[in-house]
Amino acid sequence: MTERITVNAAQTEDGPHMPSWMDEDALTYAQAGVDTAEGARAVDAIKGVVHDTYRPEVVGDIGGFGGLFSVAAAKDMADPLLVSGTDGVGTKLKVAQLAGKHDTVGIDLVAMCANDILATGAEPLFFLDYVAVGKLKAEAVAEIVAGIGEGCKQAGCALIGGEMAEHPGVMDPDDYDLSGFCVGLVDRPRMLDPESVREGDVLVGLASSGLHSNGYSLARKVCVEGKTHYELRLEREELGGASLQEALLAPTRIYVKPVRAVLDACPGAVRALAHITGGGISENLDRALPKTCDAQVDLGTWPVPAIATFVCNAAHLDETEALKTFNMGLGMVLIVDPAQVEAVEAALAEAGETTYRVGRITKGTGAVSYTNEGNLYGFEG
């Protein structure tokens, strides 16, 4: 039987004044809403997932106060740089909670961080997660972490630690939030750098799998709010037979392995790249430009996913708003030396990617512009 310390809160005239919130008996941590036993069960439930992501550089096991990872590989680099990134999944989590499907958002979490550090040319090495929940349920946490583990395997990085935090009284029992932290390594001479971008370079786009993890506050407002569970699960012809729930929860694509394969196969061919996240093409592609160049994007040169078209129509977004809200079908854009663009496309094809030439680099001031305006949805294959 577990002992519990008790406090007698009776007052005397000369005795200490006890806080008004104290009863005769102090509460246990579990009675306050934090179940450490369930937390331990959750850790046991995710151990297999974590071990499946391990690389040879991982030292030790989960459960310590810090994750250990050897960086011995850096000794062969001329000037090794560590690259870090942190991100979350945002309000897409609300769709997952409504659907009761929690594994794909774990992939999203890894994708948002790993794709960001990939923009420097870095190889993601390891990942840590932070899971905040209203009420800890080992099975639900295991489902989330299973998705994180799958994302780590797709990115080739090890899941070496994390935190599960229970927040009773702060979050609703079924609510949760996710944050991720990724660290990678790149040799400075091989780092992708916007300052290397030149007039005449070619924009090569890689397809997204849908909305990825951005624009969901708008998407939920026009596609989810007021809908019944039946309507969200109904197969829709305009979504290629998928339901709204399925299309909205399609996980973010992780581009690490195909892009890293190209960087190895075609050294120096890729000048810079942009991960198209919140802000869409308009507000992400410019982050890969020097102040002396513009990116000119040709609308209609790539297919727009059905879910993006559906949401934009439901929200009555014009082209300009669509291009600065959603990725509109391009999850990543590579800026490529024109003399090597065919080699890059061939290497990407060998890695399983379908590519689209979506524009070019021109003289300018670091801005993104568009040709064929009004033709965003005009791709003919």
Side-chain angles (χ1 to χ4, degrees):
M1 183 174 180
T2 304
E3 290 189 61
R4 185 178 64 176
I5 298 172
T6 60
V7 177
N8 188 336
Q11 300 287 333
T12 63
E13 267 188 40
D14 58 349
H17 183 74
M18 304 301 289
S20 61
W21 50 263
M22 289 196 70
D23 200 348
E24 287 193 3
D25 290 340
L27 292 173
T28 65
Y29 206 16
Q31 287 171 323
V34 177
D35 191 342
T36 55
E38 187 70 2
R41 207 162 73 82
V43 171
D44 287 339
I46 66 174
K47 280 184 176 177
V49 171
V50 173
H51 291 162
D52 285 346
T53 71
Y54 278 2
R55 298 166 45 129
E57 300 96 330
V58 175
V59 178
D61 202 353
I62 60 170
F65 289 101
L68 301 174
F69 192 95
S70 170
V71 290
K75 71 181 186 299
D76 298 323
M77 294 184 172
D79 187 4
L81 299 177
L82 290 175
V83 184
S84 62
T86 184
D87 212 331
V89 181
T91 61
K92 186 175 185 176
L93 293 178
K94 289 297 183 184
V95 182
Q97 291 162 15
L98 181 65
K101 181 174 174 57
H102 311 293
D103 54 345
T104 58
V105 291
I107 300 174
D108 288 306
L109 183 66
V110 179
M112 297 304 290
C113 300
N115 286 339
D116 271 357
I117 70 169
L118 177 64
T120 65
E123 175 190 4
L125 299 178
F126 59 84
F127 190 86
L128 298 98
D129 62 63
Y130 178 84
V131 183
V133 298
K135 179 64 178 174
L136 189 60
K137 299 172 185 175
E139 290 78 9
V141 169
E143 190 177 345
I144 294 168
V145 177
I148 296 172
E150 172 59 27
C152 285
K153 286 191 281 188
Q154 291 183 24
C157 61
L159 177 56
I160 65 168
E163 168 73 356
M164 289 178 288
E166 195 168 16
H167 293 320
V170 176
M171 302 174 73
D172 291 336
D174 293 328
D175 196 13
Y176 63 86
D177 197 11
L178 306 178
S179 297
F181 313 87
C182 192
V183 174
L185 184 68
V186 66
D187 198 357
R188 191 193 293 264
R190 300 191 64 182
M191 185 175 68
L192 302 182
D193 184 0
E195 293 303 317
S196 68
V197 172
R198 299 287 181 267
E199 180 184 3
D201 286 348
V202 178
L203 305 180
V204 176
L206 304 183
S208 70
S209 55
L211 303 186
H212 284 184
S213 299
N214 299 104
Y216 274 80
S217 293
L218 175 59
R220 286 189 305 109
K221 191 169 187 64
V222 298
C223 294
V224 176
E225 289 183 9
K227 299 285 194 306
T228 65
H229 283 278
Y230 171 77
E231 289 175 300
L232 292 176
R233 289 171 170 81
L234 187 66
E235 293 181 355
R236 294 176 176 270
E237 185 178 348
E238 61 267 47
L239 296 178
S243 67
L244 260 176
Q245 177 179 297
E246 290 169 336
L248 289 171
L249 288 178
T252 305
R253 291 200 58 218
I254 295 175
Y255 298 97
V256 172
K257 290 181 179 178
V259 170
R260 290 281 306 164
V262 169
L263 297 181
D264 289 339
C266 308
V270 179
R271 314 270 206 202
L273 64 84
H275 180 203
I276 310 302
T277 56
I281 299 169
S282 299
E283 296 179 9
N284 281 284
L285 185 51
D286 60 349
R287 297 164 68 183
L289 299 175
K291 296 300 183 184
T292 56
C293 292
D294 285 353
Q296 191 175 75
V297 179
D298 300 327
L299 299 181
T301 55
W302 73 88
V304 175
I307 184 61
T309 303
F310 185 94
V311 173
C312 289
N313 287 340
H316 305 291
L317 288 190
D318 61 26
E319 222 174 52
T320 300
E321 284 297 316
L323 288 163
K324 69 179 185 181
T325 304
F326 301 108
N327 65 59
M328 299 310 292
L330 296 181
M332 191 157 281
V333 177
L334 284 66
I335 302 177
V336 182
D337 177 354
Q340 300 189 69
V341 66
E342 291 183 2
V344 166
E345 290 170 331
L348 285 165
E350 189 169 339
E353 288 289 331
T354 301
T355 61
Y356 305 94
R357 293 193 192 186
V358 299
R360 67 206 59 79
I361 298 298
T362 62
K363 286 184 179 178
T365 58
V368 177
S369 63
Y370 298 94
T371 65
N372 303 328
E373 292 185 11
N375 200 40
L376 175 60
Y377 304 99
F379 179 75
E380 297 180 357

